[in-house]
């Protein structure tokens, strides 16, 4: 059930260039479960910035009633958020959207998780839940440069983890698609989250296999009412059929929507 | 204390979500019982289904938001058979927003949708800034607006409210023309046309280039226009434009609105409408009012006591 709650900051630290990890505590965590969902944050009490910020959930700890998110402090809103300190409160609406379908892969099968930049964080909770289910996980995580790399250790504990950087300053030099090919990675199901060009490339190369993509789109309400984040459906690419990224997604099966 | 009668509408309170900011209610029904609302102004319906504009469709501004959704909707027949039928489970009168590109479109939609059981009034959308054909002329030329109002009045089974655009030089002239054409009420204001440019690209940040500005940034414009129009016409006004809280509602009533719609604030706080409804009686008491109608037009009326409008 979607709830709105003033949640308490229990941990907040910078983990890479412009990248922050924020842990919040509150009852709302008990509503979370599906990896790939997101929350909508009000970062100021006033009218500027006006809208909430959608940020993906990267870890859920129901025992402690805590969840963690990782975000890039880039615009005015996320920069304001980055100033929050322990014991501050944050206005959280969530959990929102439909996450990755972990039922689509069975124990003993191989899942390949591919993330790009700020699309990496939601894959961590997914990886944990898949491992707990007995799925073998592999990760390919793409970043721009070495200063932007984060969560490598956490992912490495769960399964094979290949880091790529655009400039080759760390790990494999090149795109995640090239790394998958060069390492000859085999898998039963792929889950991915990241920039649209990356998702498009993965869908083109691997869309014939079970492939689930988490999309990003600018949102207004986050709950499906404003129709800001719609996309065409794959079976009606120029017509009037649509899906809303915020409430029908953000995770879609390959081919379900036009990227 | 909160009940109010407007043409076609016996409202238990004067608070309603504004068209375009509430979909057809399904999403917010997960947050609270929609029967608490005075009314719901549902998303615009057109004759044919519309996908709307390319994305990105929204951009943030100082204390506001630009949007260019483009009237996305499933078409009037699906709105009636699916959305309005679903809304019948709630004890709330619906104001159906009607849009089109030419008079015949509006007439078609108005005739059909006004016959739905729970539609108690129409809101003619002559002011959407985000459609390329039709809308602008209907909303900015008084003679054209009047002609459209007359045509819709002839076929509508329920009272007709017309939503005024703020993107005009003389809002009073427009309001009078629409009143003379037979409109039962006005809703005002729609969004102001605006634009934002990306610093890195130098290009407009929303795909439609321009969008409609909403949110608290436009509240002073709405207040001014309602203040002017409400003194010049005899038909009631449902006010909107940057309403965020109970004090904003009272300010709109003071300006001359008889009911108030909440728009963009729903995106920020999905509970904003029931919160305002809950807070309104106490705030009215604090200000010395026994009934919400006593606030209407207080800014310009010598005697703040006003009669209920009745259909």
């Amino acid at each position: 059930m979607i709830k709105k709650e003033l949640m308490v900051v229990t941990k907040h630290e910078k983990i890479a260039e412009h990248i922050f990890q924020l842990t919040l505590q509150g009852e709302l965590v008990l509503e979370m479960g599906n990896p790939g969902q997101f929350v909508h944050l009000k970062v100021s009490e006033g009218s500027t910035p006006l809208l909430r910020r959608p940020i993906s959930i990267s870890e859920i700890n129901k025992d402690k009633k805590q969840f963690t998110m990782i975000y890039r402090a880039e615009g005015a809103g996320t920069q304001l958020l980055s100033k929050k300190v322990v014991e501050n409160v944050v206005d959280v609406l969530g959990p929102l959207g439909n996450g990755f379908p972990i039922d689509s892969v069975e124990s003993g099968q191989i899942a390949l998780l591919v993330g790009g930049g700020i699309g990496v964080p939601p894959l961590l909770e997914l990886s944990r839940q898949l491992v707990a289910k007995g799925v073998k996980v592999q990760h390919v995580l793409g970043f721009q440069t070495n200063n932007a790399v984060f969560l490598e250790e956490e992912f490495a504990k769960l399964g094979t983890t290949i880091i790529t950087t655009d400039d080759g300053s760390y790990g494999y030099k090149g795109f995640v698609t090239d790394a998958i090919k060069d390492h000859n990675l085999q898998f039963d199901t792929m889950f991915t989250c990241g920039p649209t060009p990356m998702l498009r490339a993965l869908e083109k190369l691997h869309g014939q296999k079970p492939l689930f993509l988490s999309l990003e789109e600018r949102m207004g309400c986050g709950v499906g009412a404003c129709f800001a984040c719609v996309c065409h459906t794959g079976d009606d690419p120029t017509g009037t059929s649509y899906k809303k990224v915020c409430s029908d997604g953000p995770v879609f099966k390959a081919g379900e929507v036009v990227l | 204390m909160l009940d109010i009668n407007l043409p076609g509408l016996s409202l238990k309170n004067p608070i309603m979500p504004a068209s375009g900011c509430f979909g057809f209610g399904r999403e917010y029904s997960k947050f609270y019982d929609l029967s608490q609302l005075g009314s719901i102004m549902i998303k615009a319906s057109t004759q044919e289904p519309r996908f709307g504009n390319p994305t990105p469709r929204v951009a943030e501004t100082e204390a506001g938001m630009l949007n260019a959704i483009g009237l996305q909707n499933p078409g009037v027949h699906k709105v009636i058979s699916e959305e309005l039928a679903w809304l019948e489970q709630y004890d709330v009168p619906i104001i159906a927003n009607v849009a089109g590109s030419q008079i015949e479109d509006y007439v078609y939609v108005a005739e059909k949708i006004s016959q739905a059981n729970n539609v108690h009034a129409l809101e003619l959308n002559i002011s959407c800034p985000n459609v390329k054909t039709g809308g602008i002329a209907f909303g900015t030329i008084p003679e054209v607006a009047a002609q459209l109002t007359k045509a819709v009045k002839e076929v509508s089974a329920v009272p007709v409210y017309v939503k005024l655009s703020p993107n005009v030089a003389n809002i009073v002239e427009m309001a009078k023309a629409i009143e003379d054409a037979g409109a039962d009420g006005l809703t005002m204001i729609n969004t102001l046309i605006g634009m934002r440019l990306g610093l890195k690209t130098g290009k407009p940040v929303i795909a439609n280039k321009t969008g409609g500005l909403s949110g608290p940034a436009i509240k002073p414009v709405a207040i001014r226009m309602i203040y002017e129009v409400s003194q010049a016409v005899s038909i009631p006004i449902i006010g909107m434009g940057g309403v965020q809280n109970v004090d904003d509602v009272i300010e709109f009533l003071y300006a001359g609105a008889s009911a108030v719609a909440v728009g963009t604030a729903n995106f920020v706080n999905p509970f904003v409408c029931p919160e305002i409804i809950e807070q309104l009686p106490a705030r009215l008491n604090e200000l010395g009012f026994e009934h919400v109608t006593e606030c209407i037009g207080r800014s310009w009326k010598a005697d703040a006591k006003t009669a209920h409008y009745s259909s």
Side-chain angles (χ1 to χ4, degrees):
Chain A
M1 186 182 176
I2 301 169
K3 287 185 175 175
K4 188 166 83 75
E5 183 179 348
L6 291 174
M7 300 184 76
V8 180
V9 176
T10 59
K11 194 177 178 187
H12 198 183
E13 59 184 345
K14 188 175 180 181
I15 59 169
E17 195 67 31
H18 305 300
I19 304 293
F20 290 79
Q21 187 171 38
L22 171 62
T23 302
L24 296 174
Q25 186 172 45
E27 298 298 316
L28 198 151
V29 176
L30 300 177
E31 307 297 328
M32 297 176 176
N34 188 202
Q37 287 185 294
F38 66 96
V39 292
H40 222 194
L41 306 181
K42 181 83 173 87
V43 297
S44 73
E45 290 182 9
S47 299
T48 299
L50 182 65
L51 299 176
R52 290 173 174 271
R53 264 56 186 169
I55 298 180
S56 63
I57 297 164
S58 68
E59 289 176 80
I60 303 166
N61 186 332
K62 290 195 178 186
D63 293 338
K64 291 184 176 176
K65 293 184 182 174
Q66 292 179 348
F67 81 101
T68 299
M69 66 194 101
I70 292 170
Y71 64 93
R72 181 186 288 130
E74 195 168 33
T78 43
Q79 282 178 17
L80 262 180
L81 183 63
S82 73
K83 309 294 183 205
K84 296 277 186 185
V85 297
V86 172
E87 293 190 355
N88 281 174
V89 292
V90 182
D91 183 339
V92 184
L93 180 69
L96 300 174
N98 298 299
F100 293 104
I102 60 171
D103 291 343
S104 61
V105 55
E106 294 173 7
S107 176
Q109 289 190 313
I110 302 170
L112 177 58
L113 280 56
V114 183
I118 206 63
V120 167
L123 301 180
L124 183 59
E125 180 64 28
L126 172 66
S127 186
R128 285 184 171 168
Q129 292 197 18
L130 290 174
V131 168
K133 190 182 171 179
V135 175
K136 185 183 176 191
V137 294
Q138 304 176 110
H139 316 103
V140 179
L141 311 176
F143 300 93
Q144 286 187 333
T145 186
N146 61 335
N147 290 338
V149 177
F150 57 86
L151 292 184
E152 181 184 11
E153 200 176 312
E154 288 82 351
F155 277 101
K157 287 177 187 168
L158 297 164
T160 305
T161 301
I162 298 165
I163 303 292
T164 76
T165 51
D166 295 350
D167 60 4
S169 56
Y170 187 79
Y172 177 93
K173 180 180 180 179
F175 296 131
V176 292
T177 44
D178 298 327
I180 293 168
K181 186 181 173 189
D182 285 356
H183 289 82
N184 193 29
L185 296 178
Q186 303 298 313
F187 59 91
D188 296 297
T189 302
M190 184 191 290
F191 301 96
T192 182
C193 182
T196 303
M198 184 191 93
L199 302 184
R200 212 174 275 140
L202 287 167
E203 186 178 68
K204 187 177 175 186
L205 291 168
H206 303 287
Q208 75 284 3
K209 280 195 162 187
L211 167 58
F212 296 91
L213 315 102
S214 181
L215 273 61
E216 289 181 1
E217 184 57 78
R218 204 170 295 166
M219 295 177 187
C221 66
V223 301
C226 75
F227 288 73
C229 61
V230 297
C231 46
H232 286 284
T233 57
D235 57 3
D236 184 24
T238 57
T240 57
S241 301
Y242 64 90
K243 295 280 184 183
K244 300 171 192 168
V245 172
C246 69
S247 55
D248 295 319
V251 176
F252 295 98
K253 194 170 185 182
E256 191 178 353
V257 296
V258 178
L259 296 174
Chain B
M1 184 177 203
L2 299 184
D3 61 299
I4 187 157
N5 290 309
L6 301 176
L9 300 161
S10 293
L11 306 178
K12 50 178 93 78
N13 64 67
I15 305 302
M16 60 192 79
S19 179
C21 298
F22 208 70
F24 296 97
R26 289 181 190 268
E27 292 77 17
Y28 291 98
S29 70
K30 296 171 189 165
F31 294 101
Y32 58 86
D33 179 1
L34 301 184
S35 298
Q36 293 178 63
L37 299 167
S39 175
I40 299 173
M41 302 171 122
I42 58 170
K43 190 166 172 52
S45 301
T46 53
Q47 186 168 343
E48 303 296 334
R50 284 180 62 99
F51 180 79
N53 292 324
T55 57
R57 295 174 166 187
V58 295
E60 209 166 24
T61 65
E62 290 291 314
M65 180 185 108
L66 284 173
N67 90 80
I69 305 299
L71 301 178
Q72 182 158 14
N73 78 96
V76 65
H77 294 288
K78 272 200 173 179
V79 170
I80 293 169
S81 63
E82 295 178 10
E83 306 300 342
L84 285 168
W86 176 82
L87 277 164
E88 281 205 60
Q89 67 186 293
Y90 297 102
D91 174 27
V92 59
I94 303 299
I95 301 175
N97 187 291
V98 173
S101 299
Q102 48 194 339
I103 286 184
E104 290 76 16
D105 302 339
Y106 283 91
V107 166
Y108 182 89
V109 176
E111 186 172 16
K112 295 280 184 276
I113 208 165
S114 69
Q115 291 168 27
N117 289 335
N118 48 349
V119 168
H120 290 213
L122 301 185
E123 179 183 45
L124 279 196
N125 189 345
I126 63 167
S127 48
C128 178
N130 301 322
V131 289
K132 300 219 180 312
T133 55
I136 292 297
F138 289 125
T140 54
I141 302 173
E143 294 77 15
V144 180
Q147 191 185 352
L148 176 66
T149 304
K150 276 182 191 164
V152 170
K153 274 292 291 179
E154 282 177 14
V155 299
S156 177
V158 296
V160 175
Y161 292 67
V162 180
K163 189 168 191 175
L164 298 190
S165 168
N167 304 301
V168 295
N170 190 333
I171 190 81
V172 171
E173 181 187 18
M174 178 61 80
K176 281 182 169 176
I178 289 166
E179 180 183 36
D180 290 345
D184 299 281
L186 301 170
T187 68
M188 56 187 292
I189 58 173
N190 207 323
T191 53
L192 289 99
I193 299 172
M195 179 186 269
R196 281 208 66 193
L197 305 175
L199 284 185
K200 288 180 183 170
T201 64
K203 306 292 182 193
V205 298
I206 51 179
N208 193 55
K209 296 183 181 173
T210 61
L213 179 64
S214 63
I218 72 166
K219 194 183 92 175
V221 179
I223 294 289
R224 187 268 291 178
M225 288 186 162
I226 293 167
Y227 178 85
E228 290 178 358
V229 169
S230 61
Q231 294 177 73
V233 300
S234 302
I235 51 178
I237 296 168
I238 300 173
M240 63 201 71
V243 176
Q244 291 199 102
N245 53 49
V246 67
D247 287 353
D248 289 339
V249 167
I250 290 169
E251 200 174 340
F252 272 76
L253 297 172
Y254 283 172
S258 297
V260 177
V262 182
T264 306
N266 289 288
F267 302 159
V268 182
N269 174 12
F271 299 96
V272 65
C273 286
E275 283 177 8
I276 288 174
I277 292 164
E278 187 186 350
Q279 293 163 4
L280 193 51
R283 199 74 184 105
L284 290 169
N285 269 329
E286 285 168 10
L287 292 165
F289 299 109
E290 292 178 2
H291 198 278
V292 69
T293 49
E294 294 167 16
C295 299
I296 300 169
R298 188 168 191 262
S299 60
W300 50 263
K301 283 181 181 169
D303 178 4
K305 304 279 184 186
T306 58
H308 287 221
Y309 286 105
S310 63
S311 54

